[in-house]
Amino acid sequence: MKVLVNDQLLERDQAFVDIEDRGYQFGDGVYEVVRLYNRRFFTFNEHIDRLYESAAKIELAIPFSKDTLRELLTTLVKENDIHTGNVYLQVSRGIQMPRNHIIPDDFPLEGVLTASTTEVPRNLEKFVSGGSAITAEDVRWLRCDIKSISLLGNIMAKNKAHKAGALEAILHRGDIVTECSASNVMIIKDGELWTHQSDNLILNGITRQVILDVARKNGITVHEADFTLADLHGADEVFISSTTLEITPITAIDGTVIGNGLRGPISARLHELYEQEVIRQCGEFEAVK
Ligand code: PMP
């Protein structure tokens, strides 16, 4: 198993980061997770663009051009023979001695890129059966649009869900539903789709963007607007979306069943449309040995 450290492909057990890397000490960095189907990247450019946007928002210079980064990641997944899986990549601000909150003007460093891969099959059963969720106050910072490696708020919420036997924690600020600990959330009411607008309170998921695009193209009315906890609990259908979860139904929230407790027809239709987009970019799903 190889990993990437800057432009070096290394054996996993030969890859180390410095203890004074700002990513390690401050969570000062940004990341992405990109999915592969049939050995091909899905929405590759969108993920790379978002990485550079996140980096720009925290004034972090990525030490490679987008083209070079794409080439490095392509080499990595080939080397590891990833068929249906994920690439995790992050860029930290780099090594600074001694530790100091202030980023010096003449910061001598460049960001440090690391990347690794995992084979992760599609969980077809989960895409149909879905899972339950809890709700939790969104106590994260106010720049959730940045895909920051500082994820304490997300981790605490996810773990709370896990302890409750739930798949996800749906977060809310006061009465307004924002997103989940590691995914976006959408509801269907009277045949129309609602999801929080893309602003500083959510990560604008790439999966979210694909779903909204195919929904609009197929005549489903989309509201990118505030909706409340009462709207969530009273929805006809609820689902979450992310690179790995694709569209996963939420069939109960805080112990209350949503709709009839099964994946709804619009969720199913949207997943079909989503799959068509995957097939368009990556080809028909091949059987994974
Ligand atoms: N919101 C949060 C907080 C996330 O961590 C993720 C997944 N990384 C998402 C939304 C979904 O983003 P994407 O569809 O790009 O995976």
Side-chain angles (χ1 to χ4, degrees):
M1 174 70 64
K2 293 275 184 10
V3 298
L4 203 57
V5 178
N6 291 319
D7 57 358
Q8 302 292 305
L9 269 184
L10 302 174
E11 286 299 335
R12 172 67 190 86
D13 61 3
Q14 297 301 308
F16 300 98
V17 291
D18 195 288
I19 63 160
E20 289 183 286
D21 188 293
R22 290 183 61 104
Y24 183 60
Q25 294 201 331
F26 293 113
D28 185 357
V30 293
Y31 79 105
E32 275 298 326
V33 178
V34 194
R35 191 103 173 102
L36 286 121
Y37 300 98
N38 304 334
R39 304 184 197 285
R40 282 179 233 164
F41 286 108
F42 180 60
T43 52
F44 198 16
N45 291 338
E46 289 82 349
H47 282 280
I48 299 298
D49 287 348
R50 187 173 64 183
L51 181 77
Y52 278 76
E53 283 162 20
S54 290
K57 287 173 182 173
I58 63 165
E59 294 170 32
L60 185 160
I62 295 184
F64 302 103
S65 69
K66 288 184 184 179
D67 280 345
T68 305
L69 180 56
R70 272 189 290 259
E71 278 165 30
L72 289 168
L73 296 172
T74 303
T75 308
L76 176 68
V77 299
K78 278 212 181 93
E79 186 73 31
N80 288 341
D81 197 25
I82 300 299
H83 183 285
T84 303
N86 294 347
V87 183
Y88 173 84
L89 62 145
Q90 70 168 54
V91 183
S92 76
R93 203 180 298 273
I95 302 152
Q96 181 179 23
M97 294 181 282
R99 178 183 181 277
N100 188 339
H101 286 61
I102 297 167
I103 306 163
D105 287 342
D106 60 344
F107 207 43
L109 340 158
E110 297 203 303
V112 173
L113 165 71
T114 52
S116 56
T117 63
T118 330
E119 186 76 22
V120 184
R122 299 181 74 221
N123 195 340
L124 297 174
E125 194 269 325
K126 245 305 170 303
F127 296 160
V128 177
S129 66
S132 63
I134 58 163
T135 54
E137 184 67 37
D138 192 346
V139 295
R140 301 172 303 161
W141 71 330
L142 295 172
R143 292 308 306 275
C144 299
D145 55 313
I146 299 170
K147 202 161 168 61
S148 157
I149 60 172
S150 311
L151 287 170
L152 273 178
N154 306 64
I155 291 166
M156 298 311 288
K158 185 67 154 193
N159 215 44
K160 193 172 172 197
H162 178 69
K163 280 188 189 160
L167 187 62
E168 249 298 19
I170 302 177
L171 307 176
H172 55 92
R173 291 192 191 260
D175 208 25
I176 302 300
V177 176
T178 50
E179 60 172 342
C180 304
S181 75
S183 56
N184 291 111
V185 60
M186 304 193 183
I187 66 169
I188 306 290
K189 187 69 183 174
D190 300 327
E192 301 187 348
L193 189 159
W194 292 77
T195 194
H196 196 280
Q197 63 276 11
S198 161
D199 59 15
N200 61 309
L201 299 185
I202 69 159
L203 182 75
N204 189 5
I206 305 298
T207 319
R208 173 189 183 278
Q209 295 173 49
V210 173
I211 295 166
L212 297 186
D213 186 47
V214 296
R216 288 190 174 106
K217 284 183 178 145
N218 287 276
I220 297 170
T221 301
V222 170
H223 303 272
E224 289 185 77
D226 285 350
F227 66 91
T228 65
L229 278 173
D231 296 330
L232 175 74
H233 283 105
D236 300 327
E237 302 177 32
V238 177
F239 62 85
I240 56 177
S241 70
S242 80
T243 294
T244 315
L245 293 173
E246 300 184 10
I247 294 175
T248 295
I250 295 298
T251 52
I253 300 173
D254 298 329
T256 307
V257 171
I258 299 298
N260 61 6
L262 297 172
R263 175 167 78 157
I266 296 184
S267 307
R269 173 76 183 131
L270 284 169
H271 207 157
E272 217 173 83
L273 294 167
Y274 186 81
E275 286 181 329
Q276 284 170 16
E277 184 53 32
V278 174
I279 290 167
R280 200 179 66 75
Q281 292 188 30
C282 304
E284 286 287 345
F285 295 106
E286 296 166 358
V288 185
K289 287 180 283 299

